């Protein structure tokens, strides 16, 4: 409503308020007052039961992100999850944001790896052949700040990576001469930005950069996609 008021200052009353006033809705639920000790104790007890259920559940189930893959004879992906095979990480970490480069008859799967014991994520890589055999993951890139979403790019015979470097308030381009490892900072494409999950598209002889940005403090990086 505040946004509507800001965007439609001259017509707000006529457009929004008068139609609502023509058909008012009466509140018929209970009257909420400052809670007494009995209500607060009941809430604390309910929260305690929920916490205990979560703790007991964690003894039998592990909430963990993992990778899944499927080979297809067509360009269309399968939407039936049972056809996918799992690549499950060890219990001390999770894997996310996979990006794949196919070169030298191999699939190179780059992804975010976060160890539960560490604060920052890093970029790891798995090599997979055309039969689905794959190697143990290797650390491809690690910095003193969090990394995720390793967008991969091949151009002019060289390999590039644009990981999510929001923690460094930048969009950074990395290059390697010893693929799939040996990544070095090539340049910062943008600085002093709160941006995540940058994706590049080459179209009509131009490089287009898509990224989610947070313009205002306290806003979400999920709401606006910038080009």
């Amino acid at each position: 409503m505040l946004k509507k008021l800001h965007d439609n200052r001259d017509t707000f009353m006529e457009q929004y308020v008068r139609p609502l006033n023509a058909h008012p809705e009466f509140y018929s639920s209970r009257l909420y007052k400052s809670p007494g000790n009995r209500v607060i104790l009941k809430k604390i007890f309910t929260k305690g039961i929920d916490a205990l259920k979560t703790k007991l559940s964690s003894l039998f189930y592990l909430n963990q992100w993992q990778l899944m893959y499927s080979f297809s004879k067509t360009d269309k992906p399968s939407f039936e999850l049972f056809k996918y095979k799992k690549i499950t990480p060890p219990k001390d970490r999770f894997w996310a944001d996979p990006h794949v480069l196919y070169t030298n008859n191999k699939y190179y799967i780059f992804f975010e790896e976060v160890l539960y014991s560490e604060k920052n994520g890093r970029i790891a890589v798995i090599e997979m052949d055309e039969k689905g055999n794959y190697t143990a993951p290797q650390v491809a890139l690690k910095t003193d700040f969090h990394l995720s979403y390793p967008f991969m790019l091949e151009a002019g015979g060289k390999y590039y990576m644009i990981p999510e470097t929001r923690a460094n308030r930048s969009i950074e381009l990395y290059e390697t001469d010893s693929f799939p490892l040996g990544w070095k900072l090539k340049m910062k494409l943008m600085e002093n930005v709160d941006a995540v999950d940058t994706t590049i598209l080459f179209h009509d002889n131009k490089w287009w950069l898509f990224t989610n940005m947070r313009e205002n403090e306290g806003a979400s990086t999920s709401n606006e996609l910038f080009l």
Side-chain angles (χ1 to χ4, degrees):
M1 275 303 193
L2 287 174
K3 187 176 188 309
K4 288 178 180 178
L5 174 60
H6 179 271
D7 296 339
N8 307 276
R9 300 181 190 188
D10 298 331
T11 61
F12 181 80
M13 289 294 294
E14 196 68 38
Q15 199 170 357
Y16 297 104
V17 179
R18 292 190 194 281
L20 289 175
N21 287 344
H23 304 281
E25 293 184 9
F26 290 92
Y27 180 76
S28 57
S29 299
R30 58 171 286 195
L31 176 64
Y32 285 91
K33 300 178 181 180
S34 297
N37 291 338
R38 183 180 176 183
V39 174
I40 290 177
L41 286 173
K42 184 180 178 182
K43 290 291 183 184
I44 291 174
F45 178 77
T46 303
K47 290 292 183 183
I49 292 295
D50 291 342
L52 182 60
K53 287 180 180 178
T54 302
K55 189 68 175 177
L56 289 173
S57 177
S58 67
L59 296 176
F60 300 98
Y61 300 99
L62 179 64
N63 185 14
Q64 183 187 45
W65 291 2
Q66 58 191 6
L67 306 181
M68 300 178 71
Y69 71 95
S70 174
F71 288 106
S72 175
K73 294 180 179 179
T74 69
D75 292 334
K76 295 182 179 180
S78 172
F79 294 101
E80 298 165 322
L81 279 179
F82 68 86
K83 293 183 178 180
Y84 284 77
K85 296 180 179 179
K86 298 178 181 179
I87 307 179
T88 304
K91 293 183 178 181
D92 65 343
R93 67 196 66 187
F94 74 78
W95 294 340
D97 296 349
H99 288 250
V100 182
L101 270 182
Y102 180 75
T103 183
N104 300 324
N105 298 320
K106 286 185 179 180
Y107 298 95
Y108 293 88
I109 308 168
F110 293 83
F111 54 92
E112 171 194 2
E113 179 177 62
V114 178
L115 275 67
Y116 296 128
S117 60
E118 297 184 9
K119 181 180 179 182
N120 296 326
R122 60 195 185 186
I123 305 303
V125 60
I126 286 175
E127 296 181 29
M128 178 183 288
D129 64 22
E130 294 175 320
K131 294 181 179 179
N133 303 309
Y134 57 88
T135 64
Q138 293 179 278
V139 177
L141 179 62
K142 185 177 181 179
T143 63
D144 57 357
F145 50 86
H146 179 76
L147 299 173
S148 65
Y149 196 86
F151 180 80
M152 306 305 300
L153 186 66
E154 182 181 1
K158 293 193 174 185
Y159 299 98
Y160 301 94
M161 179 198 300
I162 305 178
E164 185 261 291
T165 51
R166 177 188 181 188
N168 206 33
R169 291 195 53 81
S170 60
I171 299 176
E172 301 180 1
L173 178 70
Y174 288 79
E175 184 182 3
T176 181
D177 292 325
S178 54
F179 184 86
L181 307 177
W183 296 93
K184 304 291 183 183
L185 178 64
K186 176 77 172 177
M187 65 179 295
K188 291 185 178 182
L189 300 176
M190 297 183 72
E191 296 185 79
N192 297 317
V193 291
D194 197 348
V196 298
D197 298 355
T198 297
T199 301
I200 298 288
L201 173 68
F202 185 71
H203 179 68
D204 288 343
N205 294 318
K206 288 183 180 179
W207 292 100
W208 300 87
L209 186 151
F210 293 81
T211 191
N212 272 49
M213 279 193 183
R214 182 175 76 165
E215 289 188 289
N216 301 307
E217 192 68 29
S220 170
T221 53
S222 301
N223 292 345
E224 294 182 317
L225 178 65
F226 286 77
L227 176 60

